[in-house]
Amino acid sequence: MHSSKHSLIYSAIILVLMTISARATNNMVTTTVPLLAKYSLQLSNSLVGLLSALLFTFNFIATTFINPELNSRVRRRVFVISNVIILFSLPLYYLSNAISIWIISIFAGIAFGLVMPNLITAASLANDKKSVERLLSLYSTSLSTSLILGPAIEVYLLTKYDYRDVFLWFIPIAVIGIIISSSIRFPDVKRESSGISVIKNKGLTAAALSITTYNVPFAAFTTFLAILAKDRFNLPNFDAYFVFLPFYIMSFLTRLTMTIRPFENLRMPMLISIIITILGLFGILYAPNYSIFLAVIALLGIPHGSIFPMATIMISRATSIAERNAVNSYFLAYNNLLFLVVPATIGFVSEIVGLSLSISALIIPVATTAVAFFKMFWNDNIMVKR
């Protein structure tokens, strides 16, 4: 028992450090590449949306078609190599031009797609269900920690440097990921499941529908939130990027609460999170000044903090260890599909109706998906643990 407890603590520490390194770097890339493209390389909103879509297209390819088909031993090696590729992409972004930025984004997308699903799987490899759900909440909290740390560093950097320089300052964070990557746990099973049988798993369906209610707007935020703040309120670079901080701080506090007291019953937390999302999207449209805009974005941090860990808990409740890598890969692949489609769509639509209205119109897919989700899973045991 004593040895098992120490093993769990060690796994938790490694998981936290690796997650913070990977997600802080990932978030910096996905939020700063659009800014670099628009304000340093002078690309239009449509091209910015397409560039973001390209990054997530190759992320999607890696999580859907590569990661699920690799056995645990090979996947461990690929995981380490992917962290090295991420490191080298940072100075390449610093040196990029209007052509090379597209090529770099292809390789960065693949690398991130081979790192992130394995972190979720590592978080779900504890020996008992309670520890699994606690580790998954800890993993989600680590994601939010990185999403405070990374933007806080970037806001400070943007008071002194431009968008290109930010990529160089994140190199030490990426180095931490390389050092720790070989210590991440992978499933110790002879054969893992993948393919159609796994895609039909109800945990994957529930997780995909639930995350759609939040990641549709979040995909738009990742690419366009700082651009929206900068253009709408005429802000300097660092003030525009600051908009991510209250958002991620609220997300962190939500996930920390869920780590300390994991939800057994997911019904009301999901319902409340979706209601907040819809209200927040209305708020973006009508916020009269930057202060109220920040308050609305902070409010939207609550469902960002709650829905993702609940989705991963749904997966853990409905899958075996042998299925988990593939289900987590397909789950993140679906997320990447959203991040592929939504920014490109918002980029084109914003040229016609404006960015604020384009983002607020995402209320429609959020509400539609929420109805479908609750109709299918309100009484299911993945929502009400029995």
Side-chain angles (χ1 to χ4, degrees):
M1 178 70 73
H2 196 61
S3 175
S4 176
K5 184 177 180 180
H6 276 86
S7 176
L8 184 64
I9 292 172
Y10 173 78
S11 296
I13 292 171
I14 292 297
L15 179 68
V16 167
L17 292 175
M18 184 69 233
T19 301
I20 289 174
S21 170
R23 189 63 178 105
T25 307
N26 173 261
N27 184 68
M28 183 279 292
V29 169
T30 55
T31 58
T32 310
V33 165
L35 295 167
L36 174 66
K38 182 171 178 66
Y39 297 111
S40 297
L41 302 179
Q42 307 302 313
L43 300 186
S44 67
N45 278 357
S46 297
L47 287 177
V48 169
L50 286 176
L51 177 61
S52 183
L54 178 74
L55 197 157
F56 284 103
T57 296
F58 282 89
N59 202 314
F60 172 78
I61 291 170
T63 53
T64 306
F65 302 110
I66 302 176
N67 193 67
E69 302 304 321
L70 302 177
N71 64 47
S72 184
R73 186 176 177 182
V74 173
R75 207 163 64 248
R76 182 190 295 274
R77 293 175 183 171
V78 170
F79 181 81
V80 175
I81 293 169
S82 296
N83 278 280
V84 175
I85 293 172
I86 290 167
L87 172 63
F88 280 103
S89 73
L90 301 181
L92 291 176
Y93 271 123
Y94 171 78
L95 298 170
S96 66
N97 57 37
I99 296 173
S100 66
I101 194 171
W102 298 83
I103 300 169
I104 299 163
S105 294
I106 290 172
F107 287 97
I110 292 171
F112 283 122
L114 294 171
V115 168
M116 301 311 293
N118 289 299
L119 293 180
I120 302 181
T121 301
S124 64
L125 295 179
N127 295 325
D128 61 272
K129 289 283 187 180
K130 184 176 181 180
S131 295
V132 166
E133 295 191 7
R134 196 174 292 277
L135 268 181
L136 284 168
S137 292
L138 178 63
Y139 162 71
S140 298
T141 304
S142 302
L143 290 177
S144 287
T145 302
S146 67
L147 296 178
I148 296 172
L149 179 65
I153 292 171
E154 186 155 352
V155 166
Y156 173 74
L157 291 173
L158 288 173
T159 64
K160 300 176 180 294
Y161 306 101
D162 64 18
Y163 294 123
R164 287 186 182 275
D165 298 319
V166 170
F167 291 92
L168 297 182
W169 284 97
F170 272 75
I171 288 175
I173 297 176
V175 169
I176 293 171
I178 293 176
I179 295 170
I180 298 172
S181 59
S182 60
S183 300
I184 288 295
R185 290 183 66 186
F186 283 74
D188 186 17
V189 293
K190 292 184 178 179
R191 182 171 180 174
E192 295 177 292
S193 302
S194 63
I196 297 299
S197 62
V198 170
I199 291 174
K200 292 180 178 179
N201 183 282
K202 72 173 182 179
L204 177 58
T205 303
L209 284 173
S210 64
I211 205 68
T212 302
T213 65
Y214 195 75
N215 264 2
V216 165
F218 183 54
F221 296 163
T222 299
T223 302
F224 290 111
L225 188 60
I227 292 173
L228 174 62
K230 182 177 176 66
D231 291 353
R232 185 165 164 184
F233 300 107
N234 194 28
L235 302 172
N237 291 348
F238 64 91
D239 275 346
Y241 201 86
F242 179 83
V243 73
F244 287 110
L245 273 181
F247 178 82
Y248 288 131
I249 288 171
M250 193 63 74
S251 175
F252 167 79
L253 293 174
T254 302
R255 290 179 179 179
L256 181 62
T257 302
M258 292 177 67
T259 302
I260 297 169
R261 295 192 62 183
F263 295 138
E264 293 282 335
N265 189 324
L266 304 182
R267 283 175 174 170
M268 291 309 297
M270 273 297 302
L271 181 59
I272 292 169
S273 296
I274 291 167
I275 291 171
I276 291 173
T277 301
I278 292 172
L279 292 175
L281 289 171
F282 274 117
I284 285 176
L285 183 61
Y286 293 108
N289 55 55
Y290 184 54
S291 296
I292 294 177
F293 185 80
L294 285 178
V296 170
I297 296 304
L299 182 69
L300 284 164
I302 296 173
H304 178 268
S306 63
I307 291 178
F308 180 83
M310 285 192 285
T312 61
I313 288 170
M314 291 174 203
I315 289 173
S316 73
R317 289 179 179 181
T319 58
S320 65
I321 293 294
E323 297 171 312
R324 204 154 293 161
N325 170 66
V327 172
N328 285 330
S329 293
Y330 295 141
F331 171 61
L332 285 191
Y334 176 72
N335 278 271
N336 291 329
L337 185 62
L338 294 178
F339 277 79
L340 186 166
V341 172
V342 173
T345 303
I346 293 296
F348 282 111
V349 174
S350 70
E351 304 278 4
I352 302 169
V353 301
L355 206 46
S356 295
L357 186 57
S358 300
I359 292 175
S360 292
L362 295 174
I363 290 169
I364 297 169
V366 168
T368 303
T369 308
V371 171
F373 172 79
F374 286 123
K375 186 175 181 179
M376 293 176 67
F377 295 105
W378 182 261
N379 290 315
D380 197 278
N381 59 8
I382 62 173
M383 293 290 284
V384 184
K385 191 175 179 182
R386 296 183 175 95

